[in-house]
Structure formats: C-alpha cells, structure tokens
Amino acid sequence: MENEHVQQRLMKAAEAGDISLLYGCIQDYPKILDSIDEIPFVDTPLHIAASVGHAHFALEMMRLMPSFGKKLNPQGLTPLDLALQSREGLSPSDPELQNMEELSPEDRDLRNRITSTISRLIKFDKELIRVKGRESLTPLHYVAEKGDIDLLAEFLCAYPESMVDRTIRDETALHIAVKNSKLQAFEVLLGCLRRIRKHHDVLGWKDDEDNTLLHIAVSTSQTQACHLSILWFSL
C-alpha cells in the first residue's frame, strides 16, 4: 500500500517535472524505481516526463535508471517513441489541427519543450535511436514515416548506422519513407547511406513481400524516387 502511494506521487512528479518530489519519493521508498523496473511493460516516470517535455527530469531519470530508456509500455512504446508521438500530435499537419492557422502559444511552447527533450535524450544516449518497440519500429522509422526532416537529420547525424535497422516486415527507414511518399526524407536517408558507404548493399534489400525500394517506387508511381534509387545504386 505504501509502495502504491509513493508511486502515485512519483508519477505526479514526472508530470510536473519536479525533481525535488522525485527524491522525496526515493527517500520514502528507496526501492521505488527498482520496483517499477521489475514490471515487464510499464509507463515509467521517464515515459511521462518525455511525453510532456520535462527535459531535466527526463535526464535525471536516465541518469538514475538507464534501463528506463529501453523499457516498453503496454502499448509497446519507449519513452522516446512516446515523446515523438506527443510532438507529432502538436504539429499543424495533424488532422485535428489542419484548420488552425498556427498553434496556440501554449501548444507551441509544449512542442518546443518536447523537441528539446528529444534532442537532449539522444545526446545523453544515442542508443535510444535504435531501441526497437512495437513491431520492431525504432524512433528513426517513425520520423521517416512522418517525413520529419529536422529530427531525421538529427538522428542520422547522431547515429547514421541506425538506418540499417529493420522492422518485423524487413523494412528499413528507406522502405518506410518510400511507402509513405516522403520524398524529402528519402533523399536525406540516401545521402546518409552514401556517407556510411552502405548504399550498394541497403538499396537492394527487400522487405518481407520481396519488394526493393525501386519496386515500391514503381508500384506507387513515384517517378522521382525511382530515378533516385537507380542513380544512387549506380554510384
């Protein structure tokens, strides 16, 4: 019972980004963080703090419990996944916000805080970019799917080798970008692929339906993606 009460206070601390309250919880129940870590699938304080953009709290949690960075919640999401989804939900391109000329000041501030938290987390531990969540999707796969060029470039700069990671459907970030018609993201990924000198290998990889990047581009009538695939493969 005491454990449950302290855990509730800890989650409130994560929501508020209150590091003092975090340590108050630890003082009251020193094993509180370990008890959370023992649960196979759980929303940790890091999940909560990352999703609402409390960078300092998130970094303190990573320092105390590095394992939380790779922990999946019941939906199969890591803390970084959850932060990315929260950020995407505050994008003007989101269906619920399409008719808005711009975000409210509060939402814009929240989005900026979440973006900063994401950047600081991957600077703290770049391995977070490659943590596989539901269906073996990584944070890099997610930003490729959304065509988020800024974060895509940041992730690739931090960990270029992450682009060879595959989903359970044998898709790389390149496959995902083409399947979602994200040409600019595809171009950014191709550039990184060339820099790490893996373009000849990866461009020929097939997904679980036996489709290469060129097959996907042709079948979806993406002329520019077809040209790029052929051009880069010939280099």
Side-chain angles (χ1 to χ4, degrees):
M1 187 66 68
E2 179 185 1
N3 180 9
E4 291 180 6
H5 176 65
V6 176
Q7 187 165 328
Q8 289 174 359
R9 288 170 52 212
L10 178 58
M11 295 309 171
K12 289 181 179 179
E15 291 172 1
D18 190 334
I19 294 176
S20 295
L21 182 54
L22 161 64
Y23 279 98
C25 294
I26 293 173
Q27 290 168 15
D28 290 342
Y29 189 71
K31 294 183 179 180
I32 184 63
L33 298 180
D34 289 325
S35 69
I36 294 173
D37 202 26
E38 290 174 358
I39 305 172
F41 298 94
V42 64
D43 278 303
T44 69
L46 180 57
H47 282 83
I48 295 171
S51 69
V52 293
H54 291 312
H56 293 159
F57 190 100
L59 291 170
E60 188 70 3
M61 191 57 59
M62 277 293 295
R63 190 181 66 80
L64 294 174
M65 296 294 292
S67 59
F68 281 2
K70 299 179 180 180
K71 178 76 73 174
L72 303 185
N73 71 4
Q75 289 73 46
L77 302 174
T78 68
L80 192 54
D81 291 331
L82 210 56
L84 289 167
Q85 289 192 6
S86 294
R87 180 179 183 274
E88 180 65 21
L90 293 166
S91 169
S93 63
D94 187 86
E96 295 182 1
L97 300 173
Q98 277 183 347
N99 296 325
M100 295 177 61
E101 292 185 2
E102 59 179 292
L103 295 174
S104 68
E106 293 79 9
D107 283 346
R108 188 163 56 249
D109 177 66
L110 176 57
R111 190 173 192 273
N112 289 339
R113 286 195 288 110
I114 294 173
T115 302
S116 176
T117 300
I118 291 169
S119 296
R120 297 195 65 180
L121 282 172
I122 65 170
K123 285 179 182 177
F124 185 90
D125 184 1
K126 67 178 184 178
E127 291 289 343
L128 297 178
I129 296 170
R130 303 189 74 172
V131 178
K132 294 190 173 185
R134 183 173 182 165
E135 299 181 11
S136 288
L137 288 162
T138 68
L140 184 72
H141 292 142
Y142 183 84
V143 295
E145 176 188 345
K146 299 301 179 182
D148 191 327
I149 303 304
D150 291 338
L151 284 182
L152 181 63
E154 187 173 350
F155 285 7
L156 290 173
C157 182
Y159 212 151
E161 294 81 4
S162 63
M163 65 182 306
V164 303
D165 293 334
R166 302 199 204 191
T167 69
I168 60 172
R169 296 177 179 81
D170 278 340
E171 302 161 315
T172 64
L174 285 154
H175 288 90
I176 292 171
V178 176
K179 287 181 179 181
N180 288 276
S181 301
K182 303 299 182 183
L183 180 61
Q184 193 174 0
F186 184 54
E187 291 178 305
V188 171
L189 287 160
L190 284 173
C192 180
L193 196 62
R194 179 74 189 281
R195 286 194 297 275
I196 63 174
R197 300 182 182 277
K198 288 185 178 290
H199 52 292
H200 286 133
D201 297 328
V202 178
L203 287 176
W205 283 359
K206 298 178 180 180
D207 64 15
D208 65 355
E209 294 182 343
D210 218 28
N211 291 316
T212 64
L213 296 168
L214 184 57
H215 291 148
I216 298 168
V218 170
S219 67
T220 54
S221 302
Q222 296 184 66
T223 305
Q224 188 63 20
C226 291
H227 290 163
L228 287 170
S229 297
I230 295 170
L231 173 64
W232 283 88
F233 193 75
S234 65
L235 293 177

